[in-house]
Amino acid sequence: MREEWIPTQLIARNTRPEIPIDDRAHRYRFRHFALLGRGLGLVAHLLFLKLTGRLKPVKTGQLLCAFCQKMGLLWIKLGQLLAMRPDLLSQELCDELARLQDRALGFAPEQARLRIEAELGAPLNEIFSEFEDKPWAAASIGQVHRARLRKNGARVVIKVRRPGMQRAFVRDMQLIRGGLSLLERLSVLPFMHWNELLWELNQVFVEELDYRYEVHNQMRLRKSLARHQIMVPRVYRRYCTTKVLVMEFVDGVSMVDYLYVVANQPHKLDAWHRENEIDPDVVGRRLLFSFLRQVFEDKLFHADLHPGNIYLMRNNRLVLLDFGSIGTLERDLLRKYDAYLEALAKGEFAKAIDIFVLIAPRLPSTNLAPMKEELMRALSSWKDRCHVPEISYKEKSAGWVLDTMTKALARHGITIQWSFFKVLRGWTTLDTSLRDLIPSRDLPGLMTAYMKQRRTREMQQVMGQLPADLLRLQNLVDYPVEQAEMGIYRGANLRRLAQVFEGTTNRVSRLVAASFGFFSAAFLVGAAAGTGLCLYQLADFNYGLDMETLRNLARFPKLDLQVWLLINGFLAYSSFSTGLLAQRFRQQE
Amino acid sequence: MIPDHLITTRLIQATERTPVPPATERPWRMRGLFVASRLILLWLGDWWLRLRGRRTRLRRMQRFERTLQHLGMVWIRVVQTLSLRGSLLSTPVGFAIQDLRDLGGARPWPQMKEILEAELGRPVTDVFEEIETHPFVATTVSQTHRARLKEEEEWVAVKIQQPYAKDIFEHDLRLISRVFSVLKMLDIMPGMRWDDLFHELREIQIRELNYHYEAASLRRLSQNLVMEPVHVPQVYDAYSSGRVLVMEFIQGALLSDFIYLSRTDPRRLQLWLRENNIDPKLLAQRLFRSVYRQVFEDNFFHGDLHTANIILLRDSRIGVIECRSAGSLDRESLAKQRHFLDHLARGELDTAAEIYFLLATQLPRVDLNIVKQKLIRVWRTWETRVHVTELPYLEKSLSYTIGRMNRVLYGSQFAAQWAFSKLTGAWVHLDLALANLDPAFNYQRGILNYMEMGERRHVTTNIGNLPGRVGAALVALHEFPRKMEEYNLLRESLMRRQAQVVQGSASKLDAVIAALFGLGSMVFLTIFVFLASIFCMRFYDFNLDVLLGPQLVELSTVVPRFGQPAWLVVLLIVLGLQRFTQRLRKRFSTREYGSHSDAAPSLD
């Protein structure tokens, strides 16, 4: 990163809040008990509120937040993961949970020094010429120190993992796994797919705890984002281990500061823009296009683009940070999502909705027409809104659309897989920045512009591969032969299928017809016997039978003529209708 | 023949290897007892260690391996084949089991010489200038001696079948078949398909006892690999028979020696590598390509490529020995396997799962969507891991993924497919070699590169016979319209019949329902008439005794007494029910066409 790209300051540096140091080593000692106690307390509190009828989603969210905040680490991530599903939980609850921030508590710098030395296998002075003891930033997993490399004098930041993380992680994960599998077993809220959530959580954690993943993510994205004119700080790979990550220091203006100034001191902005040759519109476009390009073209995207991870530099340059969680969409899903977005941008809403429904892994066997109508209405009102610059960005954003869609789907019993929600989170976190950068732009227009750009890029790529493709084209020659071969199989298969099909259906029909015929006959015999018995009882017809049989017949209870008529009538009717059915089944259709 | 300039310097002195011990006499005697006692000892020892609190994973693994080696080849194969199907594969233990070798003892030379001479048909000294009387490697069924041919003046390896090889196989297989039949009878793990597994074992027996198979495989393999930096020993047919195999002796370092040294003396290894101009990374890449080419292009692969069968040669070349079990697949499965790996590497996991399901001969009756989601999860883990160079190779290997997949599949009642066990074995062995040669190997990129290269190769080789293909295409085109017509006719008639049957069965079902409702309506009508007559009798003094008869009148007294309005309500309800069932009957007895076509959502 060059010197001339560094912008002037927007907010004075010294306003940066100090990071408190929390140094209690015993925090993980009685964790089980603490968890159990707090968990029971939470449940009791919720139950109490429920019983007294004061349970509101907001309150639930606040309580859950407090619980997760207290337990730290894994639980915060769990809360954040749950916040990604406004389609399943209520919106208020999710809003509350989304507020969960990693607690900015640092640990003692001596410990950080010790850890770095142990990991790098050399004294700190040997590698770094300067080392700032005060942590620059902190999160529950680790903290960041600024330093300067001795070798080339570059300013770097060192990310150090908090001590005892691995143990705490394993223990917490066990607890959560136990809890969630219990939920799964008891099938509490089965639509949440607890197992999937568990897997997702584990994945997030394994990747965030082990800095080696982050190093590789960063290196991969550095390569791919260079084409988007977006910078990613360089990683010093020889100083990176599982617990320590050393990378270039970025001296830019954080998007957080920028948004703060937009909200509170808008008069300062124009001067700053001019001074650093920044056009917010260009920046916003660049950010949005880059995200789309990451998702669809590079198939590897930064899943946590909140303002704290975006830095502004001179000349509309952008820097992205923190590659702890990146996303990849499975290609088939991606293709569907792509087709959906294209349809959306073109205003073909019916098609867009149909495609979106296909993203769900399983479809219920209900009538989807009302849901489609509902979505149609929402989308067309969104389209109208997009052309009105005065309406707030939030209601025009792509995140809003996605949110509406998933919620409507959930209401009709269709749940989308968790992996897809990484994109949703990407959208919503990105929206916070875009809201102030390009507040008035219409999204369909931007999307169409992106599609156009992409098409050009694809064309270029295709042109590059043209010679190879032409060579490959000769394979088309084999097509008729293959088809002819396939035709043989298919024809034979079809013929057999037709025969088998006919055979089985006929056999089944005949079987059913036979059983109905049997019943019909049985009923008829019953009716005849009933009539005979009636005549014997009331008119003393003995049919010339011997005494033995007549004595047996006499045991039958004596009934009136009317009752006999009823019974025989029913038997005859049943015989008649089953006979009709048998005939129906015997018919060739 | 391997040219001399590819021969490496010595990596390990012969004294550093454990010498081949003498073999036991008549090993099949009391075989069942022997096997049982070994297993019981293993189990008891495990308990003993556990009681003393000294049971570690490493120690258990070692004990297990030792027991298996005592039991011999057949049992090793059984465990190896079984572990290919289990989730054991994703652990270091399963990985180590795959590399287990069958180590037997040496029989006294006179005995072996007798066999050798009987097979050669002439004295040993006629053929060989010199022959080492102690074998340099031995399995439970064979031993291999180093010798020098008289005529060709070349060093060769002479593999001689041990006298009791056949008996050992017979006894072991009989024992195993008994165990399997018990398992089958008790219906333990029917998904394992014990019969098929046994069939595979029989196949192994046939190949092991007749060296003609191995000779043919070696010959075919060397033909296929002629363009590659992989060397296969030449077979001397004139001296080989069903029980004796004479082949070129490749002087080089085994990969297992390389591994041994990389653990004990890495500096010496580095020196040796430099001395012989060997780059392990290049070697890994060559091995990978070669195995993939063998599987997908030649459709004839070395099925037993474990670390003691790979020889390092100068300039990063590879020698491959001991082709006892070569594998090949039918064309269709091979194409599916190829597409599966291709989609997996490209990240098109949904399609990959679909193809994987196509590979199964029989799909279980479970919700395949759930299985698919689970498989995709396994593959996504692999996808994120495969790029992280620093992770241990085992955790990002294909074998690990296969182990995890097996767990999913086993949990979903998929039956085992032993037909692919050889291919899976080939993948695992490749992983074993890669893990030691280049732990940073990016498998995904490897597959993608191979696929691209393979396609290019295919295209360039195919362009040569373009005229012939055009001719075939013209012939096919000529036939095409007729074929299509026939095909369409069939399809049309099938579709029509299907539609008719669907409609017909629907209308038949309607008829049944209508009949039931008809009966219901009759019942309600009778009840209504009965109740109405009671009502008339009670409130209007109609004398209906004659009409109803004494029994029904008596029944009417059971009906409780209540006021006139309540009666009217009851009567109305019964009448309503009757009307309702009547209406339903009518509704079902008239046929409704087209009502079933829009039940399914139209998503085109």
Side-chain angles (χ1 to χ4, degrees), chain A residues 216 330 332 335 419 472 474 478 495 558-560 562, chain B residues 348 350-351 380 389-390 455 459 469 486 546-547 550-551:
Chain A
H216 282 270
E330 198 236 307
D332 300 273
R335 223 165 279 152
S419 60
R472 213 171 290 160
Q474 54 136 340
D478 298 334
R495 215 169 298 137
K558 283 241 186 302
L559 295 174
D560 285 350
Q562 288 83 350
Chain B
E348 290 156 357
D350 205 78
T351 325
R380 276 184 58 205
T389 328
E390 282 86 358
E455 202 191 333
V459 166
R469 282 158 64 214
E486 187 191 320
V546 185
L547 200 70
Q551 277 180 335

PDB file of all heavy atoms in Angstrom, chain A residues 216 330 332 335 419 472 474 478 495 558-560 562, chain B residues 348 350-351 380 389-390 455 459 469 486 546-547 550-551:
ATOM      1  N   HIS A 216      -5.298 -17.979   4.635  1.00  0.00           N
ATOM      2  CA  HIS A 216      -5.524 -18.446   3.277  1.00  0.00           C
ATOM      3  C   HIS A 216      -6.689 -17.753   2.610  1.00  0.00           C
ATOM      4  O   HIS A 216      -6.633 -17.441   1.428  1.00  0.00           O
ATOM      5  CB  HIS A 216      -5.667 -19.963   3.257  1.00  0.00           C
ATOM      6  CG  HIS A 216      -4.351 -20.600   3.350  1.00  0.00           C
ATOM      7  ND1 HIS A 216      -3.619 -20.916   2.240  1.00  0.00           N
ATOM      8  CD2 HIS A 216      -3.574 -20.865   4.419  1.00  0.00           C
ATOM      9  CE1 HIS A 216      -2.460 -21.378   2.637  1.00  0.00           C
ATOM     10  NE2 HIS A 216      -2.399 -21.370   3.943  1.00  0.00           N
ATOM     11  N   GLU A 330     -22.598 -23.143  -2.925  1.00  0.00           N
ATOM     12  CA  GLU A 330     -22.524 -24.325  -3.743  1.00  0.00           C
ATOM     13  C   GLU A 330     -23.018 -23.948  -5.149  1.00  0.00           C
ATOM     14  O   GLU A 330     -23.957 -23.173  -5.274  1.00  0.00           O
ATOM     15  CB  GLU A 330     -23.458 -25.298  -3.045  1.00  0.00           C
ATOM     16  CG  GLU A 330     -23.288 -26.657  -3.397  1.00  0.00           C
ATOM     17  CD  GLU A 330     -24.597 -27.067  -3.859  1.00  0.00           C
ATOM     18  OE1 GLU A 330     -25.564 -26.868  -3.125  1.00  0.00           O
ATOM     19  OE2 GLU A 330     -24.625 -27.511  -4.982  1.00  0.00           O
ATOM     20  N   ASP A 332     -24.640 -25.072  -7.729  1.00  0.00           N
ATOM     21  CA  ASP A 332     -26.006 -25.208  -8.251  1.00  0.00           C
ATOM     22  C   ASP A 332     -26.929 -24.180  -7.617  1.00  0.00           C
ATOM     23  O   ASP A 332     -27.783 -23.598  -8.268  1.00  0.00           O
ATOM     24  CB  ASP A 332     -26.528 -26.615  -7.989  1.00  0.00           C
ATOM     25  CG  ASP A 332     -25.668 -27.637  -8.659  1.00  0.00           C
ATOM     26  OD1 ASP A 332     -25.912 -27.928  -9.835  1.00  0.00           O
ATOM     27  OD2 ASP A 332     -24.724 -28.118  -8.037  1.00  0.00           O
ATOM     28  N   ARG A 335     -26.247 -20.860  -9.161  1.00  0.00           N
ATOM     29  CA  ARG A 335     -26.843 -20.670 -10.482  1.00  0.00           C
ATOM     30  C   ARG A 335     -28.304 -20.256 -10.338  1.00  0.00           C
ATOM     31  O   ARG A 335     -28.794 -19.374 -11.030  1.00  0.00           O
ATOM     32  CB  ARG A 335     -26.738 -21.977 -11.263  1.00  0.00           C
ATOM     33  CG  ARG A 335     -26.308 -21.742 -12.679  1.00  0.00           C
ATOM     34  CD  ARG A 335     -25.870 -23.024 -13.325  1.00  0.00           C
ATOM     35  NE  ARG A 335     -24.519 -23.359 -12.965  1.00  0.00           N
ATOM     36  CZ  ARG A 335     -24.071 -24.612 -12.917  1.00  0.00           C
ATOM     37  NH1 ARG A 335     -24.870 -25.612 -13.162  1.00  0.00           N
ATOM     38  NH2 ARG A 335     -22.817 -24.850 -12.611  1.00  0.00           N
ATOM     39  N   SER A 419     -26.776 -22.469   4.784  1.00  0.00           N
ATOM     40  CA  SER A 419     -25.619 -21.946   4.053  1.00  0.00           C
ATOM     41  C   SER A 419     -26.005 -20.735   3.215  1.00  0.00           C
ATOM     42  O   SER A 419     -25.213 -19.843   2.990  1.00  0.00           O
ATOM     43  CB  SER A 419     -25.039 -23.036   3.160  1.00  0.00           C
ATOM     44  OG  SER A 419     -25.997 -23.463   2.248  1.00  0.00           O
ATOM     45  N   ARG A 472     -12.597 -28.377 -29.343  1.00  0.00           N
ATOM     46  CA  ARG A 472     -13.526 -29.236 -28.628  1.00  0.00           C
ATOM     47  C   ARG A 472     -14.811 -29.452 -29.421  1.00  0.00           C
ATOM     48  O   ARG A 472     -15.513 -30.420 -29.243  1.00  0.00           O
ATOM     49  CB  ARG A 472     -13.835 -28.582 -27.292  1.00  0.00           C
ATOM     50  CG  ARG A 472     -14.086 -29.570 -26.189  1.00  0.00           C
ATOM     51  CD  ARG A 472     -14.165 -28.881 -24.870  1.00  0.00           C
ATOM     52  NE  ARG A 472     -12.865 -28.366 -24.444  1.00  0.00           N
ATOM     53  CZ  ARG A 472     -12.715 -27.395 -23.534  1.00  0.00           C
ATOM     54  NH1 ARG A 472     -13.759 -26.862 -22.986  1.00  0.00           N
ATOM     55  NH2 ARG A 472     -11.514 -27.007 -23.182  1.00  0.00           N
ATOM     56  N   GLN A 474     -15.230 -30.299 -32.278  1.00  0.00           N
ATOM     57  CA  GLN A 474     -15.232 -31.487 -33.136  1.00  0.00           C
ATOM     58  C   GLN A 474     -15.943 -32.664 -32.456  1.00  0.00           C
ATOM     59  O   GLN A 474     -16.388 -33.580 -33.120  1.00  0.00           O
ATOM     60  CB  GLN A 474     -13.799 -31.863 -33.469  1.00  0.00           C
ATOM     61  CG  GLN A 474     -12.949 -32.034 -32.239  1.00  0.00           C
ATOM     62  CD  GLN A 474     -12.072 -33.256 -32.302  1.00  0.00           C
ATOM     63  OE1 GLN A 474     -12.337 -34.162 -33.057  1.00  0.00           O
ATOM     64  NE2 GLN A 474     -11.046 -33.268 -31.501  1.00  0.00           N
ATOM     65  N   ASP A 478     -19.582 -36.635 -32.880  1.00  0.00           N
ATOM     66  CA  ASP A 478     -20.004 -37.916 -32.303  1.00  0.00           C
ATOM     67  C   ASP A 478     -21.464 -37.905 -31.860  1.00  0.00           C
ATOM     68  O   ASP A 478     -22.004 -38.937 -31.485  1.00  0.00           O
ATOM     69  CB  ASP A 478     -19.131 -38.256 -31.096  1.00  0.00           C
ATOM     70  CG  ASP A 478     -17.693 -38.419 -31.512  1.00  0.00           C
ATOM     71  OD1 ASP A 478     -17.483 -38.762 -32.685  1.00  0.00           O
ATOM     72  OD2 ASP A 478     -16.797 -38.194 -30.685  1.00  0.00           O
ATOM     73  N   ARG A 495     -40.171 -49.457 -24.285  1.00  0.00           N
ATOM     74  CA  ARG A 495     -41.064 -50.544 -24.636  1.00  0.00           C
ATOM     75  C   ARG A 495     -41.327 -51.417 -23.418  1.00  0.00           C
ATOM     76  O   ARG A 495     -42.446 -51.751 -23.083  1.00  0.00           O
ATOM     77  CB  ARG A 495     -40.435 -51.373 -25.752  1.00  0.00           C
ATOM     78  CG  ARG A 495     -41.420 -51.917 -26.731  1.00  0.00           C
ATOM     79  CD  ARG A 495     -40.705 -52.495 -27.932  1.00  0.00           C
ATOM     80  NE  ARG A 495     -39.923 -51.498 -28.660  1.00  0.00           N
ATOM     81  CZ  ARG A 495     -38.700 -51.698 -29.122  1.00  0.00           C
ATOM     82  NH1 ARG A 495     -38.102 -52.853 -28.931  1.00  0.00           N
ATOM     83  NH2 ARG A 495     -38.070 -50.754 -29.780  1.00  0.00           N
ATOM     84  N   LYS A 558     -85.325 -64.070  17.432  1.00  0.00           N
ATOM     85  CA  LYS A 558     -86.537 -63.777  16.662  1.00  0.00           C
ATOM     86  C   LYS A 558     -86.609 -62.292  16.376  1.00  0.00           C
ATOM     87  O   LYS A 558     -86.425 -61.455  17.270  1.00  0.00           O
ATOM     88  CB  LYS A 558     -87.766 -64.182  17.485  1.00  0.00           C
ATOM     89  CG  LYS A 558     -88.018 -65.653  17.508  1.00  0.00           C
ATOM     90  CD  LYS A 558     -89.386 -65.948  16.885  1.00  0.00           C
ATOM     91  CE  LYS A 558     -89.781 -67.409  16.998  1.00  0.00           C
ATOM     92  NZ  LYS A 558     -88.833 -68.305  16.374  1.00  0.00           N
ATOM     93  N   LEU A 559     -86.846 -61.963  15.114  1.00  0.00           N
ATOM     94  CA  LEU A 559     -86.902 -60.548  14.747  1.00  0.00           C
ATOM     95  C   LEU A 559     -88.219 -60.251  14.052  1.00  0.00           C
ATOM     96  O   LEU A 559     -88.828 -61.122  13.440  1.00  0.00           O
ATOM     97  CB  LEU A 559     -85.746 -60.210  13.798  1.00  0.00           C
ATOM     98  CG  LEU A 559     -84.326 -60.323  14.378  1.00  0.00           C
ATOM     99  CD1 LEU A 559     -83.287 -60.094  13.298  1.00  0.00           C
ATOM    100  CD2 LEU A 559     -84.114 -59.325  15.496  1.00  0.00           C
ATOM    101  N   ASP A 560     -88.606 -58.988  14.123  1.00  0.00           N
ATOM    102  CA  ASP A 560     -89.841 -58.569  13.455  1.00  0.00           C
ATOM    103  C   ASP A 560     -89.623 -58.481  11.953  1.00  0.00           C
ATOM    104  O   ASP A 560     -88.494 -58.416  11.473  1.00  0.00           O
ATOM    105  CB  ASP A 560     -90.245 -57.170  13.946  1.00  0.00           C
ATOM    106  CG  ASP A 560     -90.833 -57.257  15.329  1.00  0.00           C
ATOM    107  OD1 ASP A 560     -91.075 -58.405  15.770  1.00  0.00           O
ATOM    108  OD2 ASP A 560     -91.013 -56.207  15.946  1.00  0.00           O
ATOM    109  N   GLN A 562     -90.223 -55.908  10.188  1.00  0.00           N
ATOM    110  CA  GLN A 562     -89.639 -54.613   9.855  1.00  0.00           C
ATOM    111  C   GLN A 562     -88.122 -54.651   9.971  1.00  0.00           C
ATOM    112  O   GLN A 562     -87.392 -54.156   9.103  1.00  0.00           O
ATOM    113  CB  GLN A 562     -90.190 -53.524  10.798  1.00  0.00           C
ATOM    114  CG  GLN A 562     -91.619 -53.170  10.531  1.00  0.00           C
ATOM    115  CD  GLN A 562     -92.608 -54.123  11.196  1.00  0.00           C
ATOM    116  OE1 GLN A 562     -92.226 -55.188  11.729  1.00  0.00           O
ATOM    117  NE2 GLN A 562     -93.892 -53.787  11.150  1.00  0.00           N
TER     118      GLN A 562
ATOM    119  N   GLU B 348     -19.680 -28.026  -7.616  1.00  0.00           N
ATOM    120  CA  GLU B 348     -21.090 -28.218  -7.956  1.00  0.00           C
ATOM    121  C   GLU B 348     -21.592 -29.413  -7.172  1.00  0.00           C
ATOM    122  O   GLU B 348     -21.758 -30.518  -7.694  1.00  0.00           O
ATOM    123  CB  GLU B 348     -21.239 -28.432  -9.463  1.00  0.00           C
ATOM    124  CG  GLU B 348     -20.961 -27.152 -10.230  1.00  0.00           C
ATOM    125  CD  GLU B 348     -20.533 -27.397 -11.659  1.00  0.00           C
ATOM    126  OE1 GLU B 348     -20.390 -28.557 -12.043  1.00  0.00           O
ATOM    127  OE2 GLU B 348     -20.331 -26.412 -12.360  1.00  0.00           O
ATOM    128  N   ASP B 350     -24.330 -30.155  -5.509  1.00  0.00           N
ATOM    129  CA  ASP B 350     -25.664 -30.722  -5.680  1.00  0.00           C
ATOM    130  C   ASP B 350     -25.644 -31.776  -6.791  1.00  0.00           C
ATOM    131  O   ASP B 350     -26.137 -32.891  -6.632  1.00  0.00           O
ATOM    132  CB  ASP B 350     -26.623 -29.589  -6.044  1.00  0.00           C
ATOM    133  CG  ASP B 350     -28.033 -29.918  -5.668  1.00  0.00           C
ATOM    134  OD1 ASP B 350     -28.332 -29.801  -4.478  1.00  0.00           O
ATOM    135  OD2 ASP B 350     -28.792 -30.307  -6.557  1.00  0.00           O
ATOM    136  N   THR B 351     -25.045 -31.403  -7.893  1.00  0.00           N
ATOM    137  CA  THR B 351     -24.943 -32.341  -9.018  1.00  0.00           C
ATOM    138  C   THR B 351     -24.085 -33.534  -8.628  1.00  0.00           C
ATOM    139  O   THR B 351     -24.396 -34.671  -8.984  1.00  0.00           O
ATOM    140  CB  THR B 351     -24.309 -31.632 -10.222  1.00  0.00           C
ATOM    141  OG1 THR B 351     -24.743 -30.281 -10.232  1.00  0.00           O
ATOM    142  CG2 THR B 351     -24.698 -32.298 -11.495  1.00  0.00           C
ATOM    143  N   ARG B 380     -18.429 -29.681   1.753  1.00  0.00           N
ATOM    144  CA  ARG B 380     -18.087 -28.272   1.974  1.00  0.00           C
ATOM    145  C   ARG B 380     -16.954 -28.140   2.974  1.00  0.00           C
ATOM    146  O   ARG B 380     -16.105 -27.262   2.854  1.00  0.00           O
ATOM    147  CB  ARG B 380     -19.314 -27.494   2.427  1.00  0.00           C
ATOM    148  CG  ARG B 380     -20.153 -27.050   1.238  1.00  0.00           C
ATOM    149  CD  ARG B 380     -21.299 -26.198   1.649  1.00  0.00           C
ATOM    150  NE  ARG B 380     -20.871 -25.018   2.367  1.00  0.00           N
ATOM    151  CZ  ARG B 380     -21.629 -24.374   3.227  1.00  0.00           C
ATOM    152  NH1 ARG B 380     -22.829 -24.789   3.463  1.00  0.00           N
ATOM    153  NH2 ARG B 380     -21.183 -23.323   3.841  1.00  0.00           N
ATOM    154  N   THR B 389      -2.893 -24.698   3.284  1.00  0.00           N
ATOM    155  CA  THR B 389      -1.685 -25.484   3.080  1.00  0.00           C
ATOM    156  C   THR B 389      -1.160 -26.087   4.367  1.00  0.00           C
ATOM    157  O   THR B 389      -0.640 -27.202   4.374  1.00  0.00           O
ATOM    158  CB  THR B 389      -0.593 -24.579   2.488  1.00  0.00           C
ATOM    159  OG1 THR B 389      -1.216 -23.608   1.690  1.00  0.00           O
ATOM    160  CG2 THR B 389       0.378 -25.366   1.673  1.00  0.00           C
ATOM    161  N   GLU B 390      -1.276 -25.334   5.468  1.00  0.00           N
ATOM    162  CA  GLU B 390      -0.618 -25.776   6.690  1.00  0.00           C
ATOM    163  C   GLU B 390      -1.331 -26.898   7.412  1.00  0.00           C
ATOM    164  O   GLU B 390      -0.763 -27.509   8.301  1.00  0.00           O
ATOM    165  CB  GLU B 390      -0.453 -24.590   7.657  1.00  0.00           C
ATOM    166  CG  GLU B 390       0.676 -23.675   7.299  1.00  0.00           C
ATOM    167  CD  GLU B 390       0.260 -22.616   6.302  1.00  0.00           C
ATOM    168  OE1 GLU B 390      -0.911 -22.636   5.881  1.00  0.00           O
ATOM    169  OE2 GLU B 390       1.095 -21.787   5.922  1.00  0.00           O
ATOM    170  N   GLU B 455      -8.892 -33.776 -20.877  1.00  0.00           N
ATOM    171  CA  GLU B 455      -9.790 -33.432 -21.965  1.00  0.00           C
ATOM    172  C   GLU B 455      -9.007 -33.005 -23.192  1.00  0.00           C
ATOM    173  O   GLU B 455      -9.330 -33.385 -24.323  1.00  0.00           O
ATOM    174  CB  GLU B 455     -10.737 -32.328 -21.525  1.00  0.00           C
ATOM    175  CG  GLU B 455     -11.985 -32.315 -22.368  1.00  0.00           C
ATOM    176  CD  GLU B 455     -12.810 -31.086 -22.133  1.00  0.00           C
ATOM    177  OE1 GLU B 455     -12.728 -30.530 -21.031  1.00  0.00           O
ATOM    178  OE2 GLU B 455     -13.525 -30.687 -23.058  1.00  0.00           O
ATOM    179  N   VAL B 459      -9.116 -34.692 -26.815  1.00  0.00           N
ATOM    180  CA  VAL B 459      -9.443 -33.961 -28.042  1.00  0.00           C
ATOM    181  C   VAL B 459      -8.366 -34.170 -29.086  1.00  0.00           C
ATOM    182  O   VAL B 459      -8.636 -34.467 -30.245  1.00  0.00           O
ATOM    183  CB  VAL B 459      -9.621 -32.463 -27.722  1.00  0.00           C
ATOM    184  CG1 VAL B 459      -9.609 -31.646 -28.990  1.00  0.00           C
ATOM    185  CG2 VAL B 459     -10.906 -32.239 -26.965  1.00  0.00           C
ATOM    186  N   ARG B 469     -15.016 -40.916 -37.813  1.00  0.00           N
ATOM    187  CA  ARG B 469     -16.130 -40.517 -36.951  1.00  0.00           C
ATOM    188  C   ARG B 469     -17.211 -39.812 -37.751  1.00  0.00           C
ATOM    189  O   ARG B 469     -18.403 -39.974 -37.479  1.00  0.00           O
ATOM    190  CB  ARG B 469     -15.620 -39.629 -35.829  1.00  0.00           C
ATOM    191  CG  ARG B 469     -14.948 -40.440 -34.740  1.00  0.00           C
ATOM    192  CD  ARG B 469     -14.001 -39.611 -33.922  1.00  0.00           C
ATOM    193  NE  ARG B 469     -14.675 -38.569 -33.189  1.00  0.00           N
ATOM    194  CZ  ARG B 469     -14.145 -37.373 -32.937  1.00  0.00           C
ATOM    195  NH1 ARG B 469     -12.963 -37.073 -33.394  1.00  0.00           N
ATOM    196  NH2 ARG B 469     -14.814 -36.495 -32.247  1.00  0.00           N
ATOM    197  N   GLU B 486     -39.832 -43.775 -34.112  1.00  0.00           N
ATOM    198  CA  GLU B 486     -40.190 -44.935 -33.308  1.00  0.00           C
ATOM    199  C   GLU B 486     -40.214 -44.570 -31.825  1.00  0.00           C
ATOM    200  O   GLU B 486     -41.133 -44.893 -31.086  1.00  0.00           O
ATOM    201  CB  GLU B 486     -39.154 -46.031 -33.571  1.00  0.00           C
ATOM    202  CG  GLU B 486     -39.471 -47.365 -32.938  1.00  0.00           C
ATOM    203  CD  GLU B 486     -38.270 -48.286 -33.030  1.00  0.00           C
ATOM    204  OE1 GLU B 486     -37.603 -48.288 -34.086  1.00  0.00           O
ATOM    205  OE2 GLU B 486     -37.986 -48.968 -32.040  1.00  0.00           O
ATOM    206  N   VAL B 546     -98.132 -50.978  14.318  1.00  0.00           N
ATOM    207  CA  VAL B 546     -98.280 -52.000  13.280  1.00  0.00           C
ATOM    208  C   VAL B 546     -97.168 -51.869  12.242  1.00  0.00           C
ATOM    209  O   VAL B 546     -96.557 -52.838  11.813  1.00  0.00           O
ATOM    210  CB  VAL B 546     -99.654 -51.847  12.604  1.00  0.00           C
ATOM    211  CG1 VAL B 546     -99.873 -52.987  11.616  1.00  0.00           C
ATOM    212  CG2 VAL B 546    -100.743 -51.798  13.640  1.00  0.00           C
ATOM    213  N   LEU B 547     -96.950 -50.592  11.916  1.00  0.00           N
ATOM    214  CA  LEU B 547     -95.947 -50.351  10.877  1.00  0.00           C
ATOM    215  C   LEU B 547     -94.547 -50.735  11.346  1.00  0.00           C
ATOM    216  O   LEU B 547     -93.743 -51.308  10.601  1.00  0.00           O
ATOM    217  CB  LEU B 547     -95.983 -48.862  10.507  1.00  0.00           C
ATOM    218  CG  LEU B 547     -95.371 -48.512   9.160  1.00  0.00           C
ATOM    219  CD1 LEU B 547     -96.255 -49.038   8.042  1.00  0.00           C
ATOM    220  CD2 LEU B 547     -95.194 -47.020   9.058  1.00  0.00           C
ATOM    221  N   PRO B 550     -93.300 -54.767  17.017  1.00  0.00           N
ATOM    222  CA  PRO B 550     -93.012 -54.646  18.448  1.00  0.00           C
ATOM    223  C   PRO B 550     -91.532 -54.411  18.773  1.00  0.00           C
ATOM    224  O   PRO B 550     -91.211 -53.638  19.675  1.00  0.00           O
ATOM    225  CB  PRO B 550     -93.501 -55.987  19.006  1.00  0.00           C
ATOM    226  CG  PRO B 550     -93.672 -56.880  17.836  1.00  0.00           C
ATOM    227  CD  PRO B 550     -93.938 -56.030  16.649  1.00  0.00           C
ATOM    228  N   GLN B 551     -90.652 -55.047  18.023  1.00  0.00           N
ATOM    229  CA  GLN B 551     -89.241 -54.912  18.384  1.00  0.00           C
ATOM    230  C   GLN B 551     -88.731 -53.494  18.192  1.00  0.00           C
ATOM    231  O   GLN B 551     -88.014 -52.944  19.022  1.00  0.00           O
ATOM    232  CB  GLN B 551     -88.403 -55.880  17.541  1.00  0.00           C
ATOM    233  CG  GLN B 551     -88.413 -57.259  18.164  1.00  0.00           C
ATOM    234  CD  GLN B 551     -87.595 -58.239  17.375  1.00  0.00           C
ATOM    235  OE1 GLN B 551     -87.406 -58.062  16.171  1.00  0.00           O
ATOM    236  NE2 GLN B 551     -87.157 -59.275  18.047  1.00  0.00           N
TER     237      GLN B 551
END
